[in-house]
Amino acid sequence: MSDDAWEPPAILLAVDLVILTLREARLHVLLVERGIEPYKGAQALPGGFLQHSQESLVAAAHRELAEEADLDVETLCLEQLGVYDDPGRDPRGRVVSVAFLAIAPRLPEPTAGTDAADAGWQPTDRVLSGELNLAFDHRRIVTDGVERARAKLEHSALATAFVGPTFTITDLQDVYEAVWGMPLDPRNFYRKIKKTDGFIVPAGSARKAATGRPARLFRAGPREALYPPMIRPADPPNGKEQAQ
Amino acid sequence: MSDDAWEPPAILLAVDLVILTLREARLHVLLVERGIEPYKGAQALPGGFLQHSQESLVAAAHRELAEEADLDVETLCLEQLGVYDDPGRDPRGRVVSVAFLAIAPRLPEPTAGTDAADAGWQPTDRVLSGELNLAFDHRRIVTDGVERARAKLEHSALATAFVGPTFTITDLQDVYEAVWGMPLDPRNFYRKIKKTDGFIVPAGSARKAATGRPARLFRAGPREALYPPMIRPADPPNGKEQAQ
DNA sequence: GCTACTTTTTGTCAGATTGACAAAAACGTA
DNA sequence: TACGTTTTTGTCAATCTGACAAAAAGTAGC
């Protein structure tokens, strides 16, 4: 490309957000109903274009989140998920979108913002299964986001981000079961968690549900990366792949 | 953002490539000497701007690779590494760059292309340590790329991408040692590899170096994801973190 | 041809980890 | 006080890991 007279291509840069949380022991994703064309009326991830050329991507992400879902998530830690740039993914022209992922403890019901007709939590199952159709390539983005969360639970203390400041080991197990989508043995889970140094630290004695032995409370520990990782059981219980 | 009169911000979209390979049992990255300002004369990752608004990011990546390093890597599998968008990372204006990562078996010495004064392989050590300075934020990108490769070695059969079509188990071990930057026990490595179903399949009897028992040859197996993962030993041999 | 040396491959063995399951502990409730 | 529930502590066999020995299969030197 030895062209001196080079015209910058007209490309629009956007951000999309996959916000995951736990509600009633199921993994949910934040969706908005699009208030404008294209895909007006369809469910979509919150997101939008960069406002000006100096706005950073994460700044745009936080701004869109506030605008579209009225969520106060200053503290929310956004992680880059990927870039989606298939030409033709947006009928308006060439739109390259950077997706971000965030994990949140139980959040308040979001209220509709200016650009979105409505905002609310939907179970990720319904999106992944295709039961619920999303605008653009947002189903793929959600799929990637959930898979990222699953993987991160194995190697990081991410699970504590789903729950409140103090929690019980059973709370943590609920997170793993909801995100991984499989049941785990409470006894073995308990043992594994407790012996992973720095994952959790005690937070006073405890009390919880109406019935059963009260559970001890813990707080997130200093450890960010889990060294002996929490290996999730092989996914395909229906698969029959056997090599060698 | 309820503005109808909205001016698309002037943002340039670029790609950068982290091409990793093994040379003399060390991990190397492909660098070019910049032939134009800014950072003219400095070492940098191959990459450049999207040519037109319909060009996909991977297409641009392949094109730049051919242009700048004259490498024929049609078959090279590029994986998205991340987006680098710090305003101010490029003195020419707002440049958002999407980085791609590729792993390659021993490649021919690249020849300089049109935009780059020179192209060649440099040990990643020299980049990570800061001994070799790179243009823009390319040192960070290389750091992220190497870390990604390290992580992928744990869970995928990526190691076979570093070697030729047929290889010995020792070849594989060299890959792990070079990328992880630590020595591994040949006996235990051998055992672990052989018992990971589908990782490698036999490829006829074998022969190799001038000395020692001839090693058996293998070919990459069907397995993409390693189920019992290859857990790499804890990184910090100098660390002393102990909680609980 | 025989010995020395090198590298690959096959074992061994104790300690740690895992998965499945039992049982005790610590509550509320009838 | 007996019962049901949930948390917590154990147990046990199977598996996996890390450290190390030894056999196997070549080449090189004499």
Side-chain angles (χ1 to χ4, degrees):
Chain A
M1 77 172 191
S2 51
D3 35 9
D4 291 79
W6 176 70
E7 196 72 19
I11 295 176
L12 290 176
L13 206 51
V15 294
D16 283 307
L17 290 103
V18 182
I19 315 289
L20 299 178
T21 196
L22 222 60
R23 295 172 76 85
E24 299 136 37
R26 285 177 78 189
L27 192 61
H28 285 65
V29 62
L30 181 64
L31 295 181
V32 301
E33 186 184 318
R34 285 185 60 80
I36 56 176
E37 291 292 350
Y39 291 100
K40 180 168 180 174
Q43 294 281 96
L45 293 173
F49 296 111
L50 253 64
Q51 206 160 42
H52 57 270
S53 71
Q54 288 311 304
E55 187 179 39
S56 78
L57 291 169
V58 277
H62 275 114
R63 177 179 50 74
E64 289 290 344
L65 201 52
E67 284 179 5
E68 299 202 338
D70 201 22
L71 278 183
D72 176 24
V73 279
E74 295 291 324
T75 113
L76 208 59
C77 184
L78 292 173
E79 165 178 330
Q80 221 180 83
L81 183 58
V83 185
Y84 297 82
D85 83 310
D86 182 37
R89 63 184 289 275
D90 192 315
R92 287 168 292 189
R94 185 74 198 283
V95 175
V96 173
S97 181
V98 179
F100 286 86
L101 173 70
I103 303 299
R106 204 176 194 295
L107 289 174
E109 197 67 33
T111 63
T114 49
D115 272 17
D118 196 11
W121 299 103
Q122 294 290 337
T124 53
D125 307 340
R126 298 189 55 210
V127 176
L128 300 197
S129 69
E131 179 194 339
L132 184 60
N133 274 318
L134 300 193
F136 307 108
D137 51 0
H138 286 187
R139 178 178 161 196
R140 159 128 301 276
I141 301 180
V142 172
T143 306
D144 293 348
V146 171
E147 180 49 40
R148 173 77 66 93
R150 285 180 177 153
K152 285 203 78 177
L153 280 192
E154 295 191 86
H155 302 278
S156 76
L158 174 71
T160 57
F162 274 102
V163 294
T166 69
F167 49 86
T168 70
I169 293 194
T170 305
D171 289 339
L172 270 193
Q173 183 177 344
D174 291 342
V175 173
Y176 275 89
E177 289 187 333
V179 178
W180 283 354
M182 56 178 71
L184 302 172
D185 183 285
R187 287 87 53 105
N188 295 336
F189 185 83
Y190 197 96
R191 176 183 43 176
K192 175 77 176 174
I193 293 290
K194 289 218 66 170
K195 113 150 84 90
T196 301
D197 271 356
F199 193 171
I200 56 175
V201 295
S205 58
R207 168 137 329 198
K208 223 190 71 169
T211 177
R213 172 173 179 173
R216 271 180 266 186
L217 285 180
F218 296 89
R219 195 181 309 282
R223 178 71 47 108
E224 259 305 308
L226 303 184
Y227 173 47
M230 299 275 306
I231 312 182
R232 84 181 115 158
D235 256 336
N238 48 3
K240 75 279 298 207
E241 291 186 36
Q242 286 294 62
Q244 174 71 263
Chain B
M1 76 175 191
S2 51
D3 33 10
D4 292 81
W6 175 69
E7 195 74 19
I11 294 175
L12 291 175
L13 205 53
V15 294
D16 283 307
L17 290 103
V18 181
I19 315 289
L20 298 178
T21 196
L22 224 60
R23 297 171 74 87
E24 300 137 37
R26 286 177 79 187
L27 191 61
H28 285 66
V29 61
L30 180 64
L31 294 180
V32 300
E33 187 184 319
R34 286 185 58 82
I36 57 175
E37 292 292 350
Y39 292 100
K40 181 169 180 173
Q43 295 281 96
L45 293 173
F49 296 112
L50 252 63
Q51 206 159 41
H52 57 270
S53 70
Q54 288 312 303
E55 188 178 39
S56 78
L57 291 168
V58 277
H62 276 114
R63 177 179 51 73
E64 289 290 343
L65 201 52
E67 284 178 7
E68 296 201 340
D70 201 22
L71 278 182
D72 176 24
V73 279
E74 295 291 324
T75 113
L76 208 57
C77 184
L78 291 173
E79 167 179 328
Q80 221 180 82
L81 182 58
V83 185
Y84 297 83
D85 84 310
D86 182 38
R89 63 183 291 274
D90 192 315
R92 286 168 293 188
R94 186 74 198 283
V95 175
V96 173
S97 182
V98 179
F100 286 87
L101 172 69
I103 303 299
R106 202 174 196 299
L107 290 174
E109 197 66 34
T111 63
T114 48
D115 270 17
D118 196 10
W121 299 103
Q122 294 290 338
T124 52
D125 307 340
R126 297 190 56 210
V127 176
L128 299 197
S129 70
E131 178 193 341
L132 183 61
N133 274 318
L134 300 193
F136 307 107
D137 51 1
H138 287 187
R139 178 178 161 196
R140 159 130 299 276
I141 301 180
V142 171
T143 305
D144 293 347
V146 170
E147 181 50 38
R148 173 77 66 94
R150 284 179 178 156
K152 284 204 74 176
L153 243 42
E154 296 191 86
H155 303 277
S156 76
L158 174 72
T160 57
F162 273 103
V163 294
T166 70
F167 50 85
T168 70
I169 292 193
T170 305
D171 289 338
L172 270 193
Q173 183 177 342
D174 290 341
V175 172
Y176 275 89
E177 290 187 338
V179 177
W180 282 355
M182 56 178 70
L184 303 173
D185 182 286
R187 287 88 52 104
N188 295 336
F189 184 83
Y190 197 96
R191 176 182 42 170
K192 174 79 175 172
I193 292 290
K194 289 217 67 171
K195 114 151 83 90
T196 302
D197 271 357
F199 193 172
I200 57 175
V201 294
S205 58
R207 168 139 326 202
K208 223 192 73 174
T211 177
R213 173 173 177 172
R216 272 180 267 186
L217 284 179
F218 296 89
R219 195 180 310 281
R223 179 69 49 109
E224 260 304 309
L226 303 184
Y227 173 47
M230 300 274 307
I231 313 181
R232 82 181 117 154
D235 257 336
N238 46 3
K240 78 278 300 212
E241 291 185 38
Q242 287 294 63
Q244 173 70 263

